[in-house]
Amino acid sequence: MSIRTAESIFDALIARIVAGDMRPGEPLVEQALAEQFGVSRTPVREALHRLEQAGLAERGLRRAFFVRKMKAEDLAELFEAAGEVESVLAALAAHRMSEIERHTLSAILSEGDACGDDPRAYGEINTRFHETIKTGAHNAILAATLDDLNLRTQAWRVANFQENQRRLATSRAEHRSIAEAILARDADEARRRMCSHVASSYIVAADLLARRNL
Amino acid sequence: MSIRTAESIFDALIARIVAGDMRPGEPLVEQALAEQFGVSRTPVREALHRLEQAGLAERGLRRAFFVRKMKAEDLAELFEAAGEVESVLAALAAHRMSEIERHTLSAILSEGDACGDDPRAYGEINTRFHETIKTGAHNAILAATLDDLNLRTQAWRVANFQENQRRLATSRAEHRSIAEAILARDADEARRRMCSHVASSYIVAADLLARRNL
DNA sequence: TTGACCATTTATGTATACATATGCAAGATG
DNA sequence: CATCTTGCATATGTATACATAAATGGTCAA
């Protein structure tokens, strides 16, 4: 590990948590992780502090770190927060997207229609859809804020299309209605539809939480 | 230094930056700060990383830290972001505030009318006004998001009432109109008025930036 | 004179030893 | 028997030495 060890450890831990390899409540001990990664405690320590800042880790007894646990109410608040921020971005995008960005958005919609029922392919298109809106709002700080929040929702979103085939069709319809509002420059409608879209994806996540907490 | 040195150094640095004691672009060198605070580099290092995360510090050549510089566009984006988030909170508060919270909000309005033209007194009431709305939205994550953004706007807000007496009267009127919308449970109107309120406070900050960058 | 190269300087990055806080359990004491 | 104390175990917190990257300036050769 020659350069930027702390950074790579941070990324590695995020990947594990988001992928579900580390379950909520699992302890994150500096010494243990250091041995596992073959480095000293120092870079691990930095990575853990950043994880805490990002809201993926939490501290408990004796200031010990562990993977953040979510109660049902916390998850609802988190999705509401992410949803409201993304709704703001959708509203701004309705006013501000360039012609090129509008065409990109249309193209992504068509791809979504064409890709069939493959959850992986659709997941990738879904990501590009949201990215395009985020960029189209032309506010880097709001975009970064949404990224921060989504880092936390991501662990619950992954199951969205994998576990529920019906969700895919619903999502496609919602995307189309959001895009229509944006392309019509109807900011209020874009905001409302995006908000409802995120809310409906929350249902799936809440379901997942309920099963994990059994 | 017995307990939580890094934390106090972080707070101390924030205070200095927000108060304007450290100007944008000023270097933040681990060794120098360590000697100044009478500790080793380690806790200073942690504080600087947190400052970077919070968006108050930046890194340049040789990964050296310095107090973040703001261009005019950056400041506009920042205030837009903070304004949009606080507008969301105002809209949520319009639906969700309890009766007690509504009465608190009214009381704060009256205090604002009664306090005369003392900028310090009004500044404190101003803070409580925004705090009450933030709490009334009943979403801790959005509230924390707003706090993060306001950490950065704060350095530019402080001058708001000190440098411009007229701003105080304007602010009072805007607060009243926001509160009226919230108390009438008119979420859309509350959102719009809060958004415009933050925008008008941006004008003063932009003015300050222009003079500092001379 | 100019250009390339290397040493120096100066900052952060990492490893490691030691300090400190704290929950827990065992034992002393009323 | 209950409670308070105290020592221990285990985690993070801090100090410090050493490693490393990169800009800078100086020297030597073409």
Side-chain angles (χ1 to χ4, degrees):
Chain A
M1 291 283 168
S2 54
I3 193 171
R4 210 86 65 273
T5 316
E7 183 88 6
S8 17
I9 291 177
F10 177 64
D11 292 340
L13 288 177
I14 284 187
R16 285 195 201 174
I17 294 174
V18 165
D21 293 344
M22 301 187 101
R23 313 274 289 236
E26 193 161 334
L28 296 162
V29 180
E30 290 180 2
Q31 184 64 45
L33 292 170
E35 284 167 14
Q36 199 175 320
F37 284 105
V39 299
S40 80
R41 272 179 52 209
T42 309
V44 173
R45 178 181 175 70
E46 183 181 326
L48 289 179
H49 278 94
R50 288 182 60 186
L51 272 186
E52 186 192 14
Q53 268 283 312
L56 291 178
E58 215 176 357
R59 318 187 74 156
L61 295 187
R62 292 158 71 187
R63 301 180 65 70
F65 288 98
F66 56 88
V67 180
R68 180 160 184 167
K69 281 192 258 195
M70 284 280 205
K71 286 175 295 188
E73 315 92 75
D74 298 336
L75 194 66
E77 277 199 4
L78 175 59
F79 269 79
E80 176 173 88
E84 292 288 351
V85 171
E86 189 159 17
S87 300
V88 165
L89 286 165
L92 292 175
H95 288 130
R96 295 188 185 159
M97 272 188 156
S98 70
E99 278 313 305
I100 291 179
E101 287 166 338
R102 286 165 192 283
H103 278 82
T104 305
L105 190 63
S106 301
I108 291 174
L109 267 193
S110 311
E111 282 188 70
D113 290 340
C115 82
D117 288 342
D118 177 21
R120 282 170 52 96
Y122 188 75
E124 187 268 338
I125 293 171
N126 176 63
T127 303
R128 294 219 318 275
F129 178 80
H130 289 277
E131 283 292 323
T132 305
I133 293 175
K134 195 174 70 188
T135 308
H138 295 284
N139 183 313
I141 292 178
L142 275 174
T145 301
L146 179 60
D147 285 339
D148 279 358
L149 292 171
N150 273 344
L151 203 58
R152 296 192 242 171
T153 62
Q154 213 173 334
W156 308 98
R157 270 183 208 270
V158 284
N160 231 337
F161 306 120
Q162 288 170 13
E163 304 205 359
N164 192 336
Q165 277 286 350
R166 246 194 344 221
R167 175 83 193 109
L168 196 149
T170 315
S171 168
R172 222 191 308 249
E174 289 169 357
H175 280 192
R176 175 159 300 283
S177 99
I178 292 167
E180 277 169 7
I182 290 177
L183 294 175
R185 297 188 165 75
D186 185 344
D188 282 341
E189 197 55 39
R191 188 202 322 265
R192 270 189 291 273
R193 290 179 185 175
M194 177 62 88
C195 207
S196 134
H197 173 53
V198 175
S200 78
S201 87
Y202 160 72
I203 303 297
V204 182
D207 210 53
L208 183 62
L209 175 66
R211 267 177 290 152
R212 275 200 197 169
N213 277 0
L214 278 184
Chain B
M1 288 293 161
S2 52
I3 191 170
R4 225 86 61 276
T5 316
E7 183 88 6
S8 16
I9 292 176
F10 177 65
D11 292 340
L13 288 176
I14 284 187
R16 285 193 201 175
I17 294 174
V18 165
D21 294 344
M22 302 187 102
R23 314 272 292 234
E26 193 161 334
L28 295 162
V29 181
E30 289 180 3
Q31 184 64 45
L33 292 171
E35 285 167 13
Q36 198 176 320
F37 284 105
V39 299
S40 79
R41 273 178 52 209
T42 310
V44 173
R45 178 182 174 70
E46 183 181 325
L48 289 179
H49 278 97
R50 287 182 60 185
L51 272 186
E52 186 191 14
Q53 271 284 311
L56 290 178
E58 217 175 356
R59 319 188 72 158
L61 295 187
R62 291 156 73 185
R63 303 180 64 70
F65 287 99
F66 55 87
V67 180
R68 179 159 185 170
K69 282 192 257 196
M70 284 280 206
K71 287 176 294 190
E73 315 91 76
D74 297 336
L75 193 66
E77 277 198 3
L78 175 59
F79 269 79
E80 176 173 89
E84 291 289 352
V85 171
E86 189 159 15
S87 301
V88 165
L89 287 165
L92 292 175
H95 287 129
R96 295 188 185 159
M97 272 188 156
S98 69
E99 278 313 306
I100 291 179
E101 288 165 337
R102 287 166 191 281
H103 278 82
T104 305
L105 190 64
S106 301
I108 291 173
L109 267 194
S110 311
E111 282 188 71
D113 289 340
C115 82
D117 287 344
D118 176 22
R120 281 170 52 96
Y122 188 75
E124 187 268 339
I125 292 171
N126 176 63
T127 303
R128 294 220 318 274
F129 178 80
H130 289 277
E131 283 293 324
T132 305
I133 292 175
K134 196 174 70 187
T135 308
H138 296 283
N139 184 314
I141 292 178
L142 276 173
T145 301
L146 179 61
D147 286 338
D148 279 358
L149 293 171
N150 273 344
L151 204 58
R152 297 194 242 169
T153 62
Q154 213 174 335
W156 309 98
R157 270 182 207 271
V158 284
N160 231 338
F161 306 120
Q162 288 169 12
E163 305 205 359
N164 193 336
Q165 277 287 351
R166 246 192 347 220
R167 175 82 193 111
L168 195 150
T170 315
S171 168
R172 225 193 302 253
E174 289 169 358
H175 279 192
R176 176 160 298 284
S177 100
I178 292 167
E180 276 168 7
I182 289 178
L183 294 175
R185 295 187 165 77
D186 185 343
D188 282 341
E189 198 55 38
R191 188 201 323 263
R192 270 190 291 273
R193 290 179 185 175
M194 176 64 86
C195 206
S196 137
H197 173 55
V198 175
S200 77
S201 86
Y202 161 71
I203 304 296
V204 182
D207 210 54
L208 183 63
L209 175 67
R211 268 177 289 154
R212 275 200 197 169
N213 275 1
L214 279 184

